Amino acid sequence: MSYVFPIESYGGDPVELVPVIASYDTQGRVKPLYVRINGDKYKVENFWTKNGALNCINYNVTLSKDNRIYKLVLTYHIRETAWTIPKYSVRPS
C-alpha cells in the first residue's frame, strides 16, 4: 500500500506505509523491534534516531533477514501514528 503524506508532515516525498512492532516505555520513547516490508519480516538489530520533519522521528535502522543486513530510514509520524519508509528503499548492505 502506498501513500503520500501531506507536505507539512513529511515533505511530500513518496513513502510506503509499513507495519512495525515496537515497544513503548513510560518516558514516551519508541523502539522499533520488527518491520514488515512487501510481506517479509525484518528484525531491527540496532538504530539511532534523529528528529525529522514536523512531528516525525527518523530511525536509521539496521535490519536483518536470512543472514543478510539491510539499512534504511524508518520514520514514525507522531500525529498520524504511522510508520513509513521511502519508496523502494530496502537494499542489502
Side-chain angles (χ1 to χ4, degrees), residues 41 62 77:
K41 184 171 102 175
T62 301
H77 300 265

Side-chain angles (χ1 to χ4, degrees), residues 3-16 53-54 56 77 80 84-87:
Y3 181 77
V4 176
F5 276 90
I7 290 172
E8 62 270 16
S9 70
Y10 193 75
D13 295 331
V15 295
E16 189 168 334
L54 186 61
C56 293
H77 300 265
E80 294 90 350
T84 62
I85 58 172
K87 208 156 180 60

Side-chain angles (χ1 to χ4, degrees), residues 16 18 43 46 48 54 56 61 63 70 73 82 84:
E16 189 168 334
V18 291
K43 181 179 184 204
N46 58 56
W48 58 274
L54 186 61
C56 293
V61 298
L63 306 174
Y70 304 84
V73 176
T84 62

Side-chain angles (χ1 to χ4, degrees), residues 2-89:
S2 296
Y3 181 77
V4 176
F5 276 90
I7 290 172
E8 62 270 16
S9 70
Y10 193 75
D13 295 331
V15 295
E16 189 168 334
L17 288 167
V18 291
V20 172
I21 295 174
S23 69
Y24 301 82
D25 69 14
T26 57
Q27 303 290 314
R29 292 181 294 244
V30 182
K31 177 181 178 182
L33 303 173
Y34 294 91
V35 60
R36 188 171 296 276
I37 303 169
N38 297 326
D40 293 325
K41 184 171 102 175
Y42 297 83
K43 181 179 184 204
V44 176
E45 296 294 342
N46 58 56
F47 66 90
W48 58 274
T49 61
K50 176 181 167 186
N51 288 338
L54 186 61
N55 293 311
C56 293
I57 302 171
N58 290 326
Y59 292 81
N60 292 275
V61 298
T62 301
L63 306 174
S64 67
K65 179 183 181 298
D66 299 331
N67 294 321
R68 296 192 76 180
I69 299 297
Y70 304 84
K71 294 185 183 282
L72 67 94
V73 176
L74 179 63
T75 301
Y76 181 61
H77 300 265
I78 299 165
R79 185 177 20 216
E80 294 90 350
T81 63
W83 294 88
T84 62
I85 58 172
K87 208 156 180 60
Y88 314 114
S89 63

